[in-house]
Amino acid sequence: MPMTTTMPESLQRDVTLQQLIDNDNSNNDGTNNVNKGLRQQLLAIIQESLNPTIVANLPFQQLRLDSRHVTTKDVFVLLKSQSQNCQKSRDYLYQAAQQAAFILSEIDPVALLSTANTPPHVNLQIEDNHQLLARQQLATLACPVIYVPHIRDFLGDFAQACLQYQQPITLPTVVAVTGTNGKTTISQLVAQLAQLAGMSSAVMGTAGNGKLGALIQASHTTGDALAVQQFLYKIGTEKADLLALEASSHGLDQQRLQGMPVTIAIYTNLSRDHLDYHADMAEYVAAKAKLFDKAHFPTLTHAIINSDDEYAQVMLDTAQASGLIVWTYSLNASSTATFIAADIMPSLQGVEILLCSDFSDKKPDKVNIISPLLGRFNVANLLAAIAAAVALGISLERITGLMPQLQGAVGRMQRVPSNDGCFIVDYAHTPDALSQVLASLKTHCKGQLWAVFGCGGDRDTGKRPLMAQAGLSGADQVILTADNPRTEDPNAILKDMQVGMSAEQYQRAHIEPARQKAIEYAVSHASVDDIVVIAGKGHETYQEINSVRHDFDDSVVLQQALQQAGRV
């Protein structure tokens, strides 16, 4: 379910743009009022309107991005979309205009009403008579419409200022994690360490949103700009001291996190993903790097970066140019990183790590850490979380003592109990993530390593054969099956995955489109010394088929299969 963007009725009261502009910014209690930059943007909105005095003093309560939810006390914000045409944007505009106090449009409203079925981001030369008719149409609408082409640059600040005007509160410290893999685990580990050290903590991301122990499933890793501000404010009212969030490339590119008071930014790694959205890897990298730029997040103090990743230098350059305290982490014992796993001793019960750290003027520390998390890649996740905890002011000695109490994120290297064999559910849904999971488990495996996985429909098709090859390279036996086929035929997805497979690889592969049958096949054929990984969906409790989400939880289906096979 999406994050709520509705202010509780008990807190709702009218505000005007002029009142927000005049709102004093001299508080010393940690609350956020209107900053200078936002004040200038609000003044510009007033000046751009046809009737500045009227617009400045129009009362409203909330900002809305969905025209269906607009009421008479709302400001509707019309944003561009790469997927919609002008007709849909006009429909949203007309629908909202019937109720809204006023409308702020990222799309030029004159151009919008002068063109038909053209993507809003396309620049067209509009004839004078069309412009005149469009202006006449705008004048007949029931509320003012103001063109604000750069509204994403301050939308988050605007939303938070409205909330703070209703009831000023102290917002939590924010730690943000970006990268292809590891975001969920690291954000949850940071929140756990902070909470165990006495800070009330919350998380926002793929596995859910809320205070630890009370997460609500989210529809997106990073919600829209209004939703994340509402959530930040909500957990602030619940006295959360810390928010650890996942910063997706979509969210960063679309400025959904604008206005989030991020203090500590973490970079994990980057591999092929989301190329159905980003034009190429360079664009994907640039989106991630925004998290380390004080021009986007002026509250930043620390950058924590995985120096083992090939794209780390881009993040380092951005962070250093912003004047941040930069700490790095590495699994390479000969690295010069700030936090190094100098020795790693894994087992199916967890891992023992010799941690070397050099983050202060004091003599470098060497401590032994015992972690209950499985997998070599989880050592990297743990180093990032430890660095963030240190940046939050928690001593390394205390962190070391808290290690045994840590729990992995649901669906991340999650071991499902069995009398024999080893059965694991993991979210790995990219070639790199799957390779890392299999490489981590291979060292523990006395028998054969099995991998059950597929690829999502309506997504990057070029990833499909790479995913299959990652599984075949790392596992002894592979079962290719459906993931979330969405609107595609699962057999067509599986056909794409098989491109380039050799005769030898086909001998080690079993093709089963039905995911439940694929899991049951693995359970019935794996021996007592084998390890089976069910990959790709992890924490998800559904399977999306033809735009319908059906109940499907890999860990539950696996438990049932183990029971039926008499292995629990």
Side-chain angles (χ1 to χ4, degrees):
M1 61 182 292
M3 287 179 284
T4 178
T5 58
T6 302
M7 167 69 70
E9 290 187 10
S10 60
L11 296 181
Q12 292 180 6
R13 64 188 177 113
D14 290 352
V15 64
T16 67
L17 293 179
Q18 191 61 56
Q19 286 173 325
L20 286 178
I21 291 168
D22 295 338
N23 197 16
D24 185 72
N25 195 33
S26 61
N27 284 6
N28 296 315
D29 60 359
T31 59
N32 286 10
N33 288 322
V34 179
N35 59 51
K36 182 178 179 181
L38 177 58
R39 185 177 285 108
Q40 292 173 340
Q41 297 287 359
L42 298 181
L43 283 168
I45 288 174
I46 294 170
Q47 294 305 316
E48 284 295 319
S49 64
L50 294 176
N51 298 293
T53 302
I54 293 176
V55 169
N57 296 288
L58 278 173
F60 67 93
Q61 290 179 352
Q62 297 190 73
L63 306 180
R64 296 282 192 184
L65 295 178
D66 190 331
S67 60
R68 296 168 298 181
H69 298 157
V70 172
T71 71
T72 55
K73 290 292 187 179
D74 293 333
V75 172
F76 176 57
V77 181
L78 177 61
L79 297 179
K80 296 177 182 178
S81 170
Q82 295 295 322
S83 61
Q84 71 191 32
N85 59 28
C86 277
Q87 185 57 55
K88 286 187 177 180
S89 294
R90 275 200 300 276
D91 290 343
Y92 301 150
L93 180 70
Y94 287 138
Q95 183 179 26
Q98 297 174 25
Q99 296 284 339
F102 57 93
I103 294 174
L104 303 178
S105 178
E106 184 184 26
I107 310 165
D108 183 347
V110 174
L112 179 63
L113 298 183
S114 304
T115 56
N117 299 315
T118 304
H121 61 281
V122 175
N123 294 317
L124 296 176
Q125 295 297 320
I126 304 168
E127 295 181 11
D128 289 345
N129 61 329
H130 289 169
Q131 286 197 24
L132 179 60
L133 289 172
R135 292 184 190 281
Q136 290 174 346
Q137 284 181 281
L138 284 172
T140 64
L141 294 179
C143 72
V145 180
I146 306 157
Y147 179 34
V148 191
H150 304 297
I151 193 167
R152 292 178 197 252
D153 292 346
F154 63 92
L155 184 55
D157 284 330
F158 189 9
Q160 193 57 232
C162 293
L163 293 167
Q164 293 286 346
Y165 185 86
Q166 304 287 344
Q167 178 180 310
I169 64 165
T170 300
L171 297 176
T173 298
V174 178
V175 176
V177 189
T178 198
T180 304
N181 304 312
K183 295 189 297 296
T184 301
T185 296
I186 292 173
S187 59
Q188 296 217 2
L189 291 178
V190 171
Q192 288 180 44
L193 284 172
Q195 185 133 312
L196 290 168
M199 300 172 67
S200 175
S201 299
V203 295
M204 183 178 80
T206 309
N209 306 313
K211 298 185 77 171
L212 284 185
L215 301 189
I216 298 175
Q217 184 63 52
S219 58
H220 296 85
T221 301
T222 308
D224 65 59
L226 304 188
V228 297
Q229 292 296 331
Q230 178 70 47
F231 177 72
L232 175 68
Y233 184 84
K234 176 178 179 292
I235 62 167
T237 63
E238 296 171 359
K239 307 301 182 183
D241 301 307
L242 174 85
L243 170 61
L245 63 84
E246 300 176 46
S248 69
S249 61
H250 290 66
L252 289 166
D253 184 61
Q254 296 173 14
Q255 295 178 269
R256 298 183 206 162
L257 291 174
Q258 195 284 321
M260 290 295 279
V262 179
T263 301
I264 301 165
I266 301 173
Y267 172 73
T268 64
N269 51 63
L270 202 144
S271 61
R272 181 177 179 131
D273 200 15
H274 301 308
L275 293 191
D276 53 313
Y277 175 84
H278 299 289
D280 50 34
M281 286 297 290
E283 187 178 288
Y284 185 30
V285 175
K288 296 291 190 185
K290 288 181 179 179
L291 183 60
F292 303 90
D293 189 345
K294 288 196 78 165
H296 295 291
F297 299 97
T299 52
L300 279 170
T301 61
H302 289 73
I304 297 167
I305 296 169
N306 177 11
S307 61
D308 294 340
D309 185 76
E310 64 176 307
Y311 296 102
Q313 194 60 50
V314 178
M315 313 303 155
L316 286 167
D317 290 344
T318 306
Q320 289 166 350
S322 288
L324 306 183
I325 297 170
V326 180
W327 291 345
T328 54
Y329 63 96
S330 173
L331 301 188
N332 182 354
S334 60
S335 170
T336 58
T338 317
F339 295 83
I340 304 169
D343 193 15
I344 303 171
M345 294 160 279
S347 72
L348 284 179
Q349 284 68 50
V351 63
E352 185 174 347
I353 308 160
L354 175 60
L355 173 64
C356 298
S357 60
D358 186 10
F359 54 84
S360 68
D361 296 332
K362 299 178 181 179
K363 183 179 178 181
D365 282 318
K366 287 188 178 182
V367 295
N368 282 307
I369 289 176
I370 298 176
S371 164
L373 305 182
L374 295 174
R376 181 181 174 86
F377 61 89
N378 265 332
V379 176
N381 292 337
L382 190 64
L383 293 185
I386 290 171
V390 172
L392 289 169
I394 306 171
S395 72
L396 189 58
E397 181 181 10
R398 190 170 189 190
I399 292 169
T400 302
L402 298 174
M403 284 293 114
Q405 298 180 62
L406 293 180
Q407 298 178 354
V410 174
R412 270 67 173 179
M413 275 304 233
Q414 178 184 350
R415 188 169 183 179
V416 176
S418 59
N419 291 333
D420 57 67
C422 179
F423 297 88
I424 289 172
V425 171
D426 192 85
Y427 187 54
H429 62 287
T430 66
D432 181 62
L434 184 60
S435 294
Q436 289 193 45
V437 166
L438 296 176
S440 290
L441 292 173
K442 191 70 173 176
T443 57
H444 305 292
C445 195
K446 297 179 181 178
Q448 290 192 315
L449 179 59
W450 293 67
V452 182
F453 61 94
C455 287
D458 304 330
R459 296 293 187 270
D460 178 13
T461 57
K463 188 174 76 172
R464 293 171 183 175
L466 303 179
M467 192 75 174
Q469 288 300 317
L472 288 160
S473 297
D476 302 299
Q477 299 292 329
V478 162
I479 303 174
L480 301 182
T481 187
D483 189 284
N484 287 319
R486 298 185 178 87
T487 63
E488 284 195 71
D489 179 355
N491 289 297
I493 298 172
L494 291 169
K495 185 177 180 180
D496 287 344
M497 294 181 71
Q498 295 172 61
V499 172
M501 281 175 54
S502 66
E504 183 275 333
Q505 288 177 328
Y506 269 109
Q507 290 180 348
R508 296 190 289 113
H510 178 74
I511 314 299
E512 174 50 72
R515 193 171 181 90
Q516 180 174 337
K517 289 183 179 179
I519 293 172
E520 291 171 347
Y521 182 91
V523 170
S524 62
H525 286 77
S527 75
V528 295
D529 291 325
D530 291 354
I531 296 177
V532 176
V533 182
I534 315 298
K537 288 174 58 58
H539 65 282
E540 293 179 352
T541 57
Y542 63 86
Q543 187 174 34
E544 186 174 339
I545 304 171
N546 292 323
S547 302
V548 177
R549 290 189 171 187
H550 303 267
D551 289 342
F552 197 102
D553 186 324
D554 278 355
S555 63
V556 173
V557 173
L558 178 55
Q559 288 169 5
Q560 293 171 345
L562 289 167
Q563 290 172 351
Q564 291 171 3
R567 303 190 72 162
V568 289

